[in-house]
Amino acid sequence: MALDAAPPGTGAEGLSAYPPEETWDHVESLDPAAWPKRVRRTHRLVPTTCFNCEANCGLLAWVDKETGLITKFEGNPVHPASRGRNCAKGPATINQVQDPERILHPMKRVGERGEGLWERITWDQALDEIGTRIGNAFREERHHEVMYHVGRMGDDTYMERVLHSWGIDGHNSHTNICSSGARMGYASWMGFDRPSADFANAKVIFLISSHLEAGHYFNPHAQRIIEGQQNGATVICIDPRLSNTASKADHWFSAWPGTEAFLLLAIARLLIRDGTWDAAFFERWVNWETFLTESRPDLDPVFANVGPALLELYAEYTPEAAARICGIDEDRLRTVARTIGEGLGGFASHTWRASSAGNEGGWMVARCLQLLTVLTGSVGTVGGTNANGWNKFIPVTPLHPEPQGRWNEMQWPIEYPLSHHEMSILLPHFLKAGRGYLDTYFTRVYNPLWTNPDGFTWMEVLRDTDKIGCHVALTPTWNESAWFADYVLPMGIASERHDVASFETHNGRWIGFRQPVARRHRELNGETIERTHEANPGEVWEEQEFFIDLSWRIDPDGSLGIRSQFESIQDPGKPLTLDEYYSMLFENSVPGLPEEAEALGITPLEYMRRKGSFSLPGDQTQVYERDVPAADLEGAVRDAKGVWRRPGTAGSHESLEEIRGHMPFIGDGSPAVDINGEPKFGFPTPSRKLEFFSETIRDWGWPEYSMPTFIRSQVHWEDLDMSAGERILVPTFRVPTLIHTRSSNSQWLNEISHRHPLWLHPGDAEELGIEENGLVRITTRIGHFVIQAWRTEGIRPGVVAASHHMGRWRLEDDKARSWGTGKASIEQDGDGRWKLQREQGVEAYESDDPDTGLIWWTDTGVHQNLTFPVQPDPVSGMHCWLQRVTVSPAEPGDAYGDVVVDTGASHRIFEEWLAKARPGPGPDGLRRPLWFARPVKPKATAYRYDG
Ligand code: SF4
């Protein structure tokens, strides 16, 4: 709290929520540690952004001017998305800074991989050895053997620039354990693969999401959902659990997992039947002509036939049928449909993980939810649901190299031509199957052994030097995967690095700037800092500078054409600096920022360093309705469907906007669509309209899914033998206070949350003979785990659930124990099955931080993901997280935290799911539709499949 800044009469003499911005360079406050003495301390407040989820909320780091150390983090009140409000994980960044067990220096393995023996090395040695290795691979044309696998990106564009410069198709992500399903559903409608709901102005808020609105992800969304509800919006939530979101909702449907698309289509049918849909919007912006001509050639292609044809298409989706299939109340369904119909234009909807990430066909849940957004005429309206690309702002990077021209089958296999994005979960199986070898494999803030399904298969390939020649873990903390690395290189957390990022949080666009706080503070004090690791704790660095210096070591003489991409323009022959890079970016790529900065008499870079964010001017409502000026149509020809196309430009990368890959581009250079005689901007789809009928899905092997429909899940309840103890396991939710893996390095977060019992309905508990708090054995197709039960009526009978943020383990006593990691042992039994056993939970220990001696909790949870086989959806590539399991009381000899897995069985199940795929190439011999987005998008020539 700041002194002397409260508005008069507030009753909070001397206190205010935030120090006024103009005082941030010098804020006086009382030292709470000195209480009851009144000791004044002075701080400089340096803006940065949170790195604990992708929302990138604004933070203010309080730097003690006397010590130069950060003493706390608070929200940044001028950040347009978070507005000074954060979830618990934002301020808990201070725990990560002060974590006594964080990695402070570069480390190199000295024993066998996984043996746990390390030596401290210099950054110079690390750069030299890794750079030489990669340079050799490039000179020997082994580009496919270098891979960068990222968990938490941090920056929206930087690595794309690096990987294009290196000329490799080497980007891998965590997306297919996260959001591939939802992305496919949205992309097939509108090109953009993510929704952006305007919750604050909505009439109806419709949520199928296990994280987002519970505040785990996107606190900026959560605060606007509450605003919307306070303003009168009706909140509807679908979740088998009584989640935080469900508990706040006006209507909660605890539907059978995997039946959500059926429920949505039943609502769609009621809207059409009752005439409470926005037919005018549908006629204007949906490719209904294609729908009629392709699916109903018996009808005249006139709009009057659309409503009746839709009703026939969805005839089976009655409220009665939905009540039976989904296990919900049909009267409530009718009530909800009426409410939605009364709120046309103001339907703010969202699905991300949850059902879309849990089920085979989960992508269709997003496609059916978007159908409701379309039927209600709420696309891009105030209070409706926009496309993310129209609210998230990604600047074009300066010095952007030519797109690289290679295609790597290890991430983009021919079996999954429509996947969104890389088939990351299959990497270890591809390595096992001999489909490739990795010379140098970077994991970057990513712990695949723990986070992914089938972790023991990851462990097998990570320890095998014949499959992965060198594993470089770029990580701020020790983790299960880093254990099996050759180099562990410490990278900075939120206050120790540069990143530029933006997310769709509301009706508007913004850009946020993360910066290394200690470096900024010392530079303001007049010091010269060459590299960020000089100012960070220990020798902790940041990826941005690391990759500049590494690129120089890869190409020391410039003969590979790489070094030139990382050379200073101002000072040729020297490495590019980040001040130079971000100056160029903010001066040239962020509309409105140079003018705002000039008005304050500062540079755009200084503006971002002072404020940490910028709100872009302009209205992003219904962007698709924008007129396209005649000049932009030059060289384009209007085709029979009204799309203006430029002949001969198929797959070209004329536009830097398109090169970025995160954004869809029109492969044929289409600039507009004809709407009632006017050229309009439209959507980045082949028809430039919203695609109810997707010719792409049909032409790429899935004609039965060309229109929104219901796909039966791998855990469909009617297929289960409940009497034999089978149930559906939902592992796709988290508590709002923990992160995938990095929260075990946070004291406060572990003090708040350190259990994840199995949610179990009392009726199921009775039937299955499971005591309150009793141990339960959960058996999957490849093994089992042992967890503790929690009887609760907050879950649907027939479904059990365990949150997926816990179960961290370590193999050594004195490494990576921190605040939430249990000591474990791993061994193989006589049948070759892996067994993980918990030897002890977390416990108090001596360190520089006296608080580690006060740890009072012991539970560290159960690593359930190890027991899940890979289950890639054959269309979207999404790992289908929900498991068909047998639930039984623990057996004699079972202990809490036990995990047993047969990786031979997991490989057989990989082959089983692989056989469901319908391999490309697709039309024109392409590997993937040119218009689909993908990261680090290669040249169009790389799309040609030549066997
Ligand atoms: S929602 Fe929480 S974890 Fe995510 S960026 Fe905001 S403060 Fe950080």
Side-chain angles (χ1 to χ4, degrees):
M1 296 288 180
L3 289 173
D4 309 323
T10 59
E13 256 77 353
L15 297 178
S16 68
Y18 300 100
E21 192 188 337
E22 58 276 13
T23 68
W24 287 358
D25 204 49
H26 186 88
V27 175
E28 287 194 19
S29 61
L30 295 176
D31 182 355
W35 188 86
K37 285 188 188 161
R38 289 172 63 86
V39 176
R40 283 175 182 262
R41 301 196 74 84
T42 55
H43 285 82
R44 171 179 282 138
L45 275 49
V46 180
T48 188
T49 61
C50 183
F51 192 40
N52 283 333
C53 86
E54 64 177 338
N56 285 275
C57 294
L59 292 177
L60 288 180
W62 287 56
V63 184
D64 187 314
K65 285 191 152 181
E66 202 176 306
T67 64
L69 298 174
I70 301 169
T71 60
K72 65 175 173 179
F73 291 89
E74 292 191 336
N76 179 353
V78 305
H79 193 287
S82 53
R83 306 181 288 189
R85 309 172 204 171
N86 302 91
C87 77
K89 301 186 294 295
T93 299
I94 190 68
N95 294 158
Q96 295 164 316
V97 172
Q98 298 171 346
D99 173 39
E101 290 216 327
R102 62 179 304 187
I103 305 163
L104 292 173
H105 307 283
M107 309 289 277
K108 183 181 179 186
R109 159 173 81 88
V110 291
E112 292 298 305
R113 199 186 278 166
E115 200 181 345
L117 299 174
W118 304 90
E119 65 175 357
R120 180 176 161 181
I121 59 171
T122 62
W123 276 113
D124 200 45
Q125 181 183 346
L127 288 167
D128 246 352
E129 292 177 2
I130 299 166
T132 302
R133 189 179 179 97
I134 295 174
N136 288 341
F138 291 171
R139 280 181 205 92
E140 293 162 14
E141 286 295 319
R142 293 184 287 114
H143 293 75
H144 286 347
E145 295 181 3
V146 179
M147 186 184 290
Y148 166 84
H149 203 159
V150 62
R152 176 60 54 231
M153 285 202 316
D155 191 284
D156 283 338
T157 58
Y158 193 90
M159 278 313 293
E160 189 164 305
R161 192 181 106 75
V162 172
L163 298 173
H164 278 311
S165 301
W166 289 6
I168 65 171
D169 193 24
H171 186 276
N172 209 341
S173 69
H174 75 288
T175 305
N176 84 334
I177 57 165
C178 171
S179 56
S180 299
R183 287 175 191 272
M184 175 67 196
Y186 286 112
S188 56
W189 262 107
M190 58 180 176
F192 296 103
D193 63 2
R194 195 162 172 150
S196 173
D198 182 15
F199 294 121
N201 299 303
K203 296 174 189 156
V204 176
I205 296 173
F206 198 105
L207 307 167
I208 311 177
S209 192
S210 55
H211 301 349
L212 184 91
E213 294 75 26
H216 169 78
Y217 255 45
F218 278 50
N219 176 278
H221 276 180
Q223 50 183 268
R224 289 173 173 87
I225 288 168
I226 296 302
E227 270 174 37
Q229 194 173 33
Q230 284 172 341
N231 291 336
T234 302
V235 177
I236 300 156
C237 173
I238 304 181
D239 197 321
R241 290 181 315 116
L242 182 61
S243 60
N244 290 4
T245 312
S247 69
K248 293 290 293 178
D250 299 283
H251 300 280
W252 169 41
F253 290 109
S254 178
W256 277 111
T259 65
E260 294 83 353
F262 199 106
L263 190 158
L264 296 168
L265 291 175
I267 294 173
R269 179 185 163 279
L270 286 174
L271 294 178
I272 299 162
R273 188 202 69 179
D274 297 345
T276 52
W277 61 305
D278 191 338
F281 177 83
F282 204 96
E283 181 176 13
R284 185 172 173 86
W285 278 111
V286 176
N287 69 339
W288 58 267
E289 295 95 335
T290 306
F291 159 53
L292 288 181
T293 51
E294 298 298 327
S295 72
R296 296 300 303 269
D298 56 312
L299 299 175
D300 286 339
V302 294
F303 188 71
N305 283 329
V306 170
L310 287 172
L311 283 179
E312 285 178 38
L313 179 66
Y314 294 127
E316 67 180 292
Y317 295 90
T318 61
E320 298 81 4
R324 193 189 75 74
I325 293 286
C326 308
I328 55 159
D329 182 82
E330 72 179 75
D331 288 337
R332 185 175 287 272
L333 183 81
R334 289 193 176 91
T335 302
V336 161
R338 267 196 305 277
T339 303
I340 293 171
E342 287 163 4
L344 297 187
F347 183 77
S349 62
H350 204 283
T351 186
W352 199 233
R353 291 179 181 163
S355 185
S356 292
N359 300 284
E360 184 172 351
W363 62 280
M364 209 41 111
V365 175
R367 191 150 161 74
C368 292
L369 183 58
Q370 182 67 6
L371 173 61
L372 294 188
T373 303
V374 171
L375 287 173
T376 57
S378 303
V379 179
T381 55
V382 173
T385 308
N386 212 338
N388 69 323
W390 286 328
N391 286 145
K392 175 184 171 95
F393 175 74
I394 305 179
V396 174
T397 54
L399 312 172
H400 204 102
E402 274 291 296
Q404 65 82 26
R406 296 181 168 85
W407 190 282
N408 196 334
E409 276 271 329
M410 295 286 272
Q411 295 99 275
W412 301 95
I414 195 65
E415 288 93 341
Y416 297 92
L418 301 181
S419 67
H420 273 263
H421 296 340
E422 302 92 342
M423 296 302 299
S424 153
I425 55 167
L426 301 189
L427 180 63
H429 289 285
F430 286 165
L431 288 168
K432 275 190 165 185
R435 288 174 65 153
Y437 162 78
L438 294 177
D439 177 276
T440 306
Y441 175 59
F442 290 97
T443 49
R444 200 284 229 182
V445 195
Y446 189 42
N447 183 4
L449 196 164
W450 188 87
T451 310
N452 280 11
D454 199 8
F456 278 127
T457 295
W458 280 89
M459 188 186 76
E460 287 173 351
V461 299
L462 283 174
R463 74 193 326 182
D464 186 345
T465 52
D466 290 334
K467 294 190 170 46
I468 298 177
C470 177
H471 173 201
V472 182
L474 306 174
T475 172
T477 57
W478 285 103
N479 63 50
E480 290 79 352
S481 304
W483 201 258
F484 297 95
D486 299 280
Y487 296 89
V488 175
L489 306 181
M491 293 296 162
I493 57 174
S495 55
E496 298 163 358
R497 49 186 299 121
H498 288 92
D499 289 303
V500 164
S502 168
F503 278 90
E504 62 283 354
T505 53
H506 61 285
N507 187 6
R509 291 192 301 171
W510 56 271
I511 186 165
F513 189 40
R514 188 173 291 129
Q515 64 179 330
V517 168
R519 179 173 181 167
R520 166 72 173 167
H521 171 70
R522 287 170 58 174
E523 286 178 340
L524 284 172
N525 283 350
E527 287 187 54
T528 301
I529 310 280
E530 297 287 338
R531 287 285 182 271
T532 296
H533 60 69
E534 296 163 26
N536 276 344
E539 293 177 288
V540 171
W541 208 357
E542 59 172 317
E543 286 93 336
Q544 264 55 340
E545 284 181 348
F546 169 77
F547 280 112
I548 291 172
D549 286 11
L550 183 63
S551 298
W552 275 65
R553 307 294 175 110
I554 291 170
D555 185 19
D557 59 5
S559 59
L560 292 171
I562 293 172
R563 202 186 85 173
S564 60
Q565 297 291 335
F566 300 91
E567 276 189 29
S568 168
I569 308 245
Q570 293 164 1
D571 201 356
K574 293 241 174 92
L576 183 69
T577 68
L578 290 185
D579 265 2
E580 194 178 354
Y581 177 80
Y582 286 112
S583 290
M584 287 187 281
L585 187 145
F586 292 137
E587 278 163 20
N588 301 308
S589 302
V590 185
L593 175 57
E595 294 79 7
E596 285 260 345
E598 193 180 4
L600 296 176
I602 55 178
T603 65
L605 175 60
E606 181 59 19
Y607 181 101
M608 294 302 284
R609 289 209 187 279
R610 283 191 195 176
K611 292 175 181 281
S613 58
F614 175 69
S615 192
L616 277 80
D619 180 17
Q620 294 301 109
T621 306
Q622 293 184 294
V623 172
Y624 51 88
E625 282 282 7
R626 287 182 189 165
D627 294 325
V628 176
D632 289 359
L633 299 177
E634 212 170 298
V637 177
R638 185 187 174 289
D639 72 9
K641 290 186 174 177
V643 181
W644 293 84
R645 300 188 192 279
R646 285 200 185 89
T649 56
S652 71
H653 287 282
E654 292 177 314
S655 153
L656 284 175
E657 290 276 316
E658 294 173 354
I659 289 171
R660 280 201 316 265
H662 291 289
M663 303 284 290
F665 73 101
I666 305 301
D668 57 6
S670 163
V673 62
D674 189 315
I675 300 289
N676 296 335
E678 296 176 354
K680 294 284 185 181
F681 190 70
F683 296 85
T685 58
S687 66
R688 270 201 107 83
K689 288 188 175 178
L690 292 161
E691 300 207 335
F692 175 77
F693 187 99
S694 171
E695 292 173 282
T696 301
I697 293 175
R698 180 197 62 191
D699 296 345
W700 286 74
W702 298 94
E704 67 270 45
Y705 298 152
S706 54
M707 293 174 282
T709 191
F710 164 64
I711 300 173
R712 196 163 163 131
S713 164
Q714 83 280 4
V715 294
H716 185 72
W717 64 276
E718 289 173 294
D719 299 334
L720 266 56
D721 186 351
M722 299 274 181
S723 62
E726 284 195 327
R727 295 292 186 274
I728 300 167
L729 172 66
V730 174
T732 45
F733 71 99
R734 281 185 283 191
V735 295
T737 39
L738 293 179
I739 315 159
H740 274 302
T741 68
R742 286 171 294 145
S743 46
S744 82
N745 291 73
S746 170
Q747 175 187 351
W748 298 343
L749 299 181
N750 281 275
E751 282 175 349
I752 299 168
S753 311
H754 43 259
R755 292 195 67 222
H756 72 149
L758 184 79
W759 296 45
L760 178 70
H761 192 275
D764 280 334
E766 290 299 320
E767 196 179 320
L768 297 165
I770 293 167
E771 306 282 326
E772 177 75 50
N773 297 325
L775 284 187
V776 186
R777 181 188 271 220
I778 302 286
T779 305
T780 69
R781 293 186 68 198
I782 64 171
H784 70 259
F785 64 92
V786 180
I787 193 168
Q788 199 171 28
W790 175 43
R791 289 183 179 209
T792 171
E793 294 189 345
I795 189 153
R796 181 184 183 84
V799 181
V800 296
S803 59
H804 70 114
H805 51 265
M806 289 194 66
R808 297 292 314 284
W809 47 267
R810 67 185 196 276
L811 296 175
E812 273 193 12
D813 270 336
D814 64 349
K815 197 171 278 130
R817 67 195 140 181
S818 250
W819 310 96
T821 307
K823 171 82 168 56
S825 64
I826 294 175
E827 59 187 32
Q828 263 180 310
D829 68 14
D831 299 325
R833 298 184 311 169
W834 290 107
K835 182 164 189 178
L836 176 93
Q837 278 184 301
R838 210 174 78 121
E839 293 181 350
Q840 70 199 39
V842 69
E843 56 184 13
Y845 66 98
E846 297 280 310
S847 78
D848 293 343
D849 181 349
D851 283 0
T852 61
L854 301 175
I855 294 174
W856 53 269
W857 61 96
T858 59
D859 198 354
T860 54
V862 182
H863 188 184
Q864 58 179 330
N865 294 2
L866 287 171
T867 67
F868 303 158
V870 292
Q871 302 185 144
D873 180 89
V875 181
S876 69
M878 177 76 220
H879 172 60
C880 304
W881 276 103
L882 301 195
Q883 300 291 316
R884 178 175 175 168
V885 297
T886 301
V887 180
S888 58
E891 297 182 7
D894 282 354
Y896 178 70
D898 280 0
V899 178
V900 175
V901 173
D902 177 353
T903 50
S906 79
H907 196 69
R908 288 192 291 279
I909 293 172
F910 149 71
E911 288 169 339
E912 194 180 288
W913 279 75
L914 188 65
K916 296 180 182 212
R918 296 180 189 168
D924 303 321
L926 297 179
R927 294 172 176 276
R928 179 178 176 80
L930 272 166
W931 70 274
F932 266 27
R934 60 151 281 189
V936 195
K937 199 157 193 166
K939 286 180 181 153
T941 48
Y943 281 68
R944 241 178 263 123
Y945 182 69
D946 40 27

